[in-house]
Amino acid sequence: MTTPMTPGIQSGRLSADALSRNFEDLHAPLDAHEARVAADRCYFCHDAPCMTACPTSIDIPLFIRQIQTGTPEAAAKTILSQNILGGMCARVCPTETLCEEACVREEAEGKPVIIGQLQRYATDTLMAKGVHPFTRAAPTGKSIAVVGAGPAGLSCAHRLAMKGHDVTLYDGRAKAGGLNEYGIASYKSTNDFAAREVAWLLEIGGITVETGKMLGADLTLDALKSDHDAVFLAVGLGGVNALRIEGEDQAIAAVDFIEELRQSTDLTTLPVGRNVVVIGGGMTAVDAAVQSKLLGADTVTIAYRRSRAEMAASPFEQDLAAAKGVRLMFNVMPTAIADGTITLEYTATKDGKLSGTGETVTLPADQVFKAIGQTLTTDAGLKLEGGKIAVDAAGRTSLAGVWAGGDCATGGEDLTVTAVAEGRDAAEDIHAAVMGA
Amino acid sequence: MADLTTNFLGITSPNPFWLASAPPTDKEYNVRRAYEAGWGGVVWKTLGSEGPPVVNVSGPRYGAIWGADRRLLGLNNIELITDRPLQTNLEEITRVKKDYPDRALIVSLMVPCDEDSWKAILPMVEETGADGIELNFGCPHGMAERGMGAAVGQVPEYIQMVTEWCKKYYSKPVIVKLTPNITDIRNPARAAKAGGADAVSLINTINSITSVDLDLMAPQPTIGGKGTHGGYCGPAVKPIAMNMVAEIARDPQTAGLPISGIGGVTTWRDAAEFMALGAGNVQVCTAAMTYGFKVVQEMISGLSEWMDDKGYTSTADFIGKATPNVTDWQYLDLNYVTKAKIDPDACIKCGRCYIACEDTSHQAILMKEGRVFEVDDSECVACNLCVDVCPVEDCITMVELPKGELDERTGRKRGDYANWTTHPNNPSAQAAE
Ligand SMILES: Cc1cc2nc3c(=O)[nH]c(=O)nc-3n(C[C@H](O)[C@H](O)[C@H](O)COP(=O)(O)O)c2cc1C
Ligand code: SF4
Ligand code: SF4
């Protein structure tokens, strides 16, 4: 029988029962009573700091008051009118560094109003009723291409459809959803939520989804430009940064592992190492590490080359990893992968530059994941900046008629909620432009 | 620890906390539990005349309003007086009083407004050995329609008349319980005094509709699709009750008439406030109905801690101490000036003070870079709305401007005491000299 101790990369380390328990919702949804109690803590702040901290500027005091007064559907409309993926954002936003960090009750008592969970309560309530609360304006006769059906693309497409435009939403993969569908840890989006949310979003009408169409392979920017009145690019970051060390070929991209896990219909068939090492310090590293542990790996280590304070994953994510039994190592960088081991060299920062100290440590590692950042795979002939498509505040690229947003473009953090804001704002600018305002 | 022993009309009780006449005092079982829990006294649930007892509804009796976290702030009820036979109640009262001689036991009564009815019941009550009676002239629903309760309490002449009968046929103290459902509480109190009452107790419940069922389109509690007004009590009525207590305490015609304070007493502090305004003790109903009899433990410990702190050795030391400071608006010092001050360290930056002042008051709070809130003394009228809406205790305080200092709002230096009666803007002002 396979157990966490079985050497090598094996499936079925845990029973089906244990696995389904492990991959349950990270936070169980609030019931109506819990939501009321939580909503009662909101002070209905003036010019609320939480709202300023939300990249999509959701009117948080208003929606929480709507929950408090027994109208969660009205609360959902408040949320969704600013952030059409409010349901997913409620699950995946690092609220501890966004709205909840800014909440005045964090300052007052060290315990913020649980804004994310309340947002989920409201949006889940509305979606469970099968209501799509938005309608389309009169047809404009304009056609817009949105390339990439992740958060930025979906948000842009919905806003454009609402304005009365016809939208063709292209995506290279088999399913729409982007990172929501393929890139988010399973326990943050259970019960196929990403796909259900996409289906619900499309109920607005006017959006034609064409999957299996990849920019660069099946689509060209020139053709898109000539077939449509405007183009919005939200192609994400398809490439993975390399470790550039000996044994690189034995390291797997963490994003591929997460994707495989998300698409798996039977986790007992998904193999994982006995001793797993994840290289990196962001949310992807944490997601890969935690899920390895939940799949039954015996030891999982995150190896990050800088200090804890510099880690991109928030303290909440770090604690989550630690609580699940992941070991966090700081100030180490990989130098070689060989024969089921990985060698790490300690690092130190001198005059602002990071370098190895020469001292090393070797860990058993039958599976190594790299999570040191992703890269743009196609520039489509556009001007780049720091490896991303350069855009202005309205999402305009260097080419007239072409907008871009989400992780592939400059501006903001690489977060779902930021992508939603960028897609929405680009849609407003596209609308103004094509209507000749 | 301070001695909480209270003497009210010669009736001593180990503390000033009595249970008001209501469901908590409706039968022997409850009253014994109440005494065991530490209550100083009990006013038995109101008894009616001999004969078939009244009948209560068998649907819901209560309506409620809640604050944050569903904390009960106000309760209303459509319950009547006791619905158990008179003899049962009298037997129980006799037994209980015998077993708890050190606790106060008052019998509440409501019988029809004729001398014979009172003459009939009072000797029976006397026989129980209870310490006194309380005349329920307050019940606002059900009984009033039968010419009792509030129907009597709203007519001062009736109050005086019934009180006189009671003094005639009963030897122990008579307390008259007043209804707040009138315009000037001093009139029924004066009538009670004229009738020879030993004390008044107040308030009974306030006519109210707490909520409307928007599906049934009927007031709550809803009985078969209909509702009626009920009597309101609990924390929400305390301010109304305290004003009425103070009005009677400072009325020259009733000054010195003992008062039992009732209405929204929930904590030791509420009790201390009622007593400072002139109540010799307090009665509690809703707090016990919300939290059980154990709440009295906090009232007892809180009051004695506070008394120790202040150096009061007996409740008599502070009863009525605030009464002389209740005055009419026209005597308030119009030259007294304060300004709001925000403690930036305590501020959590919610901005509620700012928006309250900006939208609804005097535009006297500035919201500066980084959500720093500051009071503009040249606009602040010292209304203290900001203090009231701030979620953090003592974050905003009202600081007194010393005499002789410039009030930036008026451009005048703070002067000596001067009130409206001599103010130049007052057409009927008398000259100060
Ligand atoms: C359900 C209920 C029944 C009551 N019945 C009586 C009664 O029979 N006789 C009476 O004098 N007062 C009655 N009251 C009024 C209380 O004695 C008391 O005056 C009132 O509730 C205010 O006090 P509180 O705010 O502490 O509850 C009743 C109150 C309630 C809630
Ligand atoms: S979208 Fe995210 S950041 Fe904005 S309010 Fe919701 S949970 Fe917070
Ligand atoms: S900061 Fe906190 S308390 Fe204030 S409105 Fe936002 S959620 Fe409510």
Side-chain angles (χ1 to χ4, degrees):
Chain A
M1 205 188 78
T2 316
T3 72
M5 298 302 292
T6 310
I9 301 179
Q10 301 285 346
S11 61
R13 290 184 183 275
L14 299 177
S15 69
D17 272 0
L19 285 170
S20 79
R21 263 197 314 280
N22 280 356
F23 284 89
E24 268 169 11
D25 247 324
L26 185 57
H27 299 287
L30 300 180
D31 65 23
H33 166 70
E34 291 167 319
R36 285 282 189 106
V37 171
D40 268 352
R41 292 189 68 237
C42 174
Y43 285 144
F44 201 70
C45 297
H46 166 67
D47 188 13
C50 54
M51 183 170 167
T52 311
C54 170
T56 53
S57 309
I58 291 173
D59 192 338
I60 296 164
L62 179 61
F63 96 67
I64 294 181
R65 194 175 168 84
Q66 288 164 324
I67 291 176
Q68 193 188 25
T69 57
T71 54
E73 292 86 354
K77 287 173 201 165
T78 301
I79 295 160
L80 297 164
S81 61
Q82 281 296 110
N83 178 336
I84 195 65
L85 297 181
M88 183 57 89
C89 286
R91 291 162 165 80
V92 304
C93 272
T95 51
E96 65 281 3
T97 63
L98 298 170
C99 51
E100 291 178 17
E101 180 182 52
C103 174
V104 301
R105 299 212 72 162
E106 170 66 28
E107 168 130 7
E109 296 113 31
K111 284 199 181 63
V113 174
I114 46 172
I115 301 168
Q117 292 182 68
L118 285 167
Q119 178 171 318
R120 173 167 174 190
Y121 170 74
T123 49
D124 279 2
T125 304
L126 186 86
M127 283 177 67
K129 294 211 161 156
V131 175
H132 186 94
F134 302 100
T135 50
R136 297 189 70 194
T140 60
K142 304 285 182 192
S143 154
I144 322 275
V146 173
V147 187
L154 286 166
S155 160
C156 184
H158 186 271
R159 185 54 65 107
L160 289 168
M162 217 166 96
K163 300 271 183 197
H165 307 297
D166 289 324
V167 181
T168 310
L169 179 58
Y170 300 99
D171 200 284
R173 302 195 189 234
K175 290 194 225 170
L179 287 182
N180 288 359
E181 176 60 41
Y182 294 97
I184 277 158
S186 286
Y187 48 79
K188 292 183 185 168
S189 167
T190 53
N191 295 324
D192 215 11
F193 180 76
R196 286 190 288 124
E197 189 180 41
V198 169
W200 168 86
L201 178 146
L202 294 174
E203 283 171 26
I204 179 103
I207 303 173
T208 310
V209 181
E210 296 205 18
T211 49
K213 296 259 170 72
M214 183 83 82
L215 184 66
D218 318 288
L219 304 168
T220 67
L221 190 52
D222 280 346
L224 288 169
K225 269 182 60 111
S226 65
D227 292 350
H228 301 276
D229 297 292
V231 180
F232 179 67
L233 297 179
V235 293
L237 299 171
V240 172
N241 280 328
L243 296 170
R244 292 180 222 292
I245 56 166
E246 200 182 307
E248 169 105 40
D249 56 327
Q250 293 165 55
I252 306 156
V255 289
D256 292 342
F257 169 68
I258 292 169
E259 173 176 339
E260 198 183 344
L261 202 142
R262 273 299 294 284
Q263 300 304 314
S264 160
T265 48
D266 180 3
L267 290 177
T268 59
T269 63
L270 199 70
V272 70
R274 164 168 140 176
N275 304 112
V276 175
V277 176
V278 184
I279 310 296
M283 286 222 268
T284 303
V286 171
D287 283 354
V290 168
Q291 297 195 106
S292 299
K293 192 71 197 158
L294 297 179
L295 274 179
D298 182 42
T299 71
V300 178
T301 307
I302 289 179
Y304 176 52
R305 63 195 178 120
R306 295 181 192 275
S307 72
R308 181 186 282 271
E310 289 155 297
M311 197 168 181
S314 68
F316 172 83
E317 297 277 340
Q318 295 172 23
D319 290 350
L320 175 73
K324 299 289 181 193
V326 173
R327 175 188 184 200
L328 300 170
M329 282 181 82
F330 299 100
N331 298 308
V332 285
M333 60 183 189
T335 54
I337 305 171
D339 308 327
T341 67
I342 183 165
T343 301
L344 305 168
E345 183 180 1
Y346 287 100
T347 66
T349 309
K350 239 206 232 129
D351 306 327
K353 256 192 75 85
L354 185 89
S355 56
T357 62
E359 218 185 324
T360 62
V361 59
T362 299
L363 304 179
D366 31 39
Q367 198 169 27
V368 176
F369 294 122
K370 48 185 173 182
I372 57 168
Q374 283 127 261
T375 55
L376 196 61
T377 41
T378 164
D379 62 14
L382 298 165
K383 193 175 140 223
L384 301 184
E385 213 177 277
K388 294 189 167 197
I389 301 172
V391 294
D392 67 10
R396 296 180 182 213
T397 67
S398 56
L399 200 61
V402 181
W403 283 254
D407 291 357
C408 72
T410 55
E413 283 184 87
D414 287 354
L415 293 174
T416 306
V417 63
T418 311
V420 172
E422 289 167 357
R424 176 197 71 194
D425 295 346
E428 292 289 343
D429 196 57
I430 292 168
H431 173 69
V434 300
M435 300 308 283
Chain B
M1 193 173 126
D3 180 12
L4 297 187
T5 305
T6 307
N7 180 328
F8 189 72
L9 318 177
I11 305 163
T12 52
S13 54
N15 60 57
F17 306 108
W18 291 9
L19 280 169
S21 172
T25 65
D26 193 18
K27 51 183 166 353
E28 181 173 358
Y29 179 82
N30 304 60
V31 174
R32 283 184 186 274
R33 285 175 67 86
Y35 285 150
E36 290 304 323
W39 290 88
V42 154
V43 183
W44 202 275
K45 170 82 181 168
T46 306
L47 312 184
S49 295
E50 194 134 35
V54 301
V55 179
N56 273 301
V57 295
S58 294
R61 288 177 202 187
Y62 303 120
I65 64 161
W66 296 274
D69 223 359
R70 216 174 138 91
R71 196 163 279 263
L72 189 76
L73 295 184
L75 187 72
N76 107 340
N77 80 87
I78 54 168
E79 179 176 287
L80 305 181
I81 63 173
T82 186
D83 53 14
R84 303 184 318 137
L86 177 65
Q87 285 310 326
T88 312
N89 276 306
L90 293 172
E91 283 159 23
E92 291 183 3
I93 290 168
T94 311
R95 272 203 301 272
V96 172
K97 182 61 208 178
K98 218 194 276 123
D99 288 352
Y100 294 89
D102 66 322
R103 308 299 172 97
L105 206 174
I106 306 294
V107 178
S108 171
L109 296 174
M110 182 197 286
V111 296
C113 206
D114 56 72
E115 191 166 351
D116 287 347
S117 298
W118 292 92
K119 194 176 166 181
I121 197 168
L122 287 167
M124 293 191 258
V125 174
E126 185 102 41
E127 238 174 76
T128 61
D131 301 300
I133 56 171
E134 185 182 76
L135 313 186
N136 178 355
F137 290 154
C139 192
H141 44 261
M143 304 311 292
E145 291 133 40
R146 306 171 204 199
M148 292 184 268
V152 179
Q154 285 164 343
V155 185
E157 293 74 23
Y158 291 173
I159 294 180
Q160 181 174 344
M161 181 176 70
V162 175
T163 310
E164 282 166 357
W165 293 334
C166 291
K167 288 306 287 182
K168 193 157 134 196
Y169 299 112
Y170 183 70
S171 71
K172 290 183 178 172
V174 176
I175 304 168
V176 174
K177 185 168 181 177
L178 303 180
T179 174
N181 298 313
I182 47 139
T183 3
D184 187 344
I185 195 70
R186 290 174 303 180
N187 294 326
R190 289 168 186 163
K193 193 177 179 199
D198 297 278
V200 289
S201 59
L202 69 156
I203 58 174
N204 209 312
T205 55
I206 305 174
N207 284 340
S208 62
I209 290 178
T210 45
S211 52
V212 174
D213 185 319
L214 290 177
D215 296 319
L216 297 174
M217 278 296 166
Q220 291 176 311
T222 312
I223 309 287
K226 305 270 186 220
T228 182
H229 66 85
Y232 198 42
C233 53
V237 310
K238 176 188 150 200
I240 298 164
M242 290 214 300
N243 175 53
M244 291 183 163
V245 165
E247 285 295 286
I248 295 170
R250 70 193 190 92
D251 176 11
Q253 294 187 44
T254 48
L257 180 66
I259 301 170
S260 183
I262 319 172
V265 175
T266 311
T267 67
W268 71 267
R269 182 181 291 275
D270 300 327
E273 290 175 12
F274 267 97
M275 293 168 78
L277 285 173
N281 72 2
V282 293
Q283 298 183 30
V284 176
C285 168
T286 306
M289 290 183 71
T290 311
Y291 303 108
F293 290 145
K294 187 179 161 185
V295 274
V296 76
Q297 291 178 10
E298 167 274 318
M299 297 181 188
I300 290 169
S301 64
L303 191 67
S304 50
E305 291 278 335
W306 170 76
M307 285 171 62
D308 287 347
D309 258 17
K310 294 283 177 190
Y312 298 132
T313 50
S314 112
T315 53
D317 291 355
F318 65 90
I319 289 170
K321 249 196 150 183
T323 319
N325 293 328
V326 184
T327 185
D328 294 341
W329 190 92
Q330 59 178 342
Y331 300 123
L332 298 178
D333 182 1
L334 295 176
N335 283 335
Y336 176 77
V337 181
T338 62
K339 297 287 174 190
K341 192 166 167 31
I342 302 172
D343 174 359
D345 296 327
C347 174
I348 59 168
K349 301 181 164 42
C350 69
R352 293 206 331 200
C353 58
Y354 168 80
I355 200 63
C357 193
E358 188 68 15
D359 277 358
T360 71
S361 294
H362 301 87
Q363 297 77 47
I365 295 181
L366 309 171
M367 180 167 167
K368 298 193 162 165
E369 186 62 32
R371 300 183 72 80
V372 173
F373 298 93
E374 265 173 36
V375 175
D376 175 357
D377 283 354
S378 69
E379 295 292 345
C380 175
V381 303
C383 71
N384 92 333
L385 178 64
C386 53
V387 175
D388 297 330
V389 302
C390 177
V392 179
E393 326 77 72
D394 302 327
C395 172
I396 310 182
T397 44
M398 302 305 294
V399 181
E400 183 176 348
L401 190 76
K403 277 201 184 128
E405 298 257 308
L406 182 76
D407 178 349
E408 287 179 36
R409 182 175 69 88
T410 57
R412 281 196 303 272
K413 291 188 172 156
R414 182 182 161 192
D416 291 331
Y417 171 91
N419 64 42
W420 178 245
T421 60
T422 57
H423 197 277
N425 290 12
N426 181 354
S428 48
Q430 303 115 26
E433 278 82 8

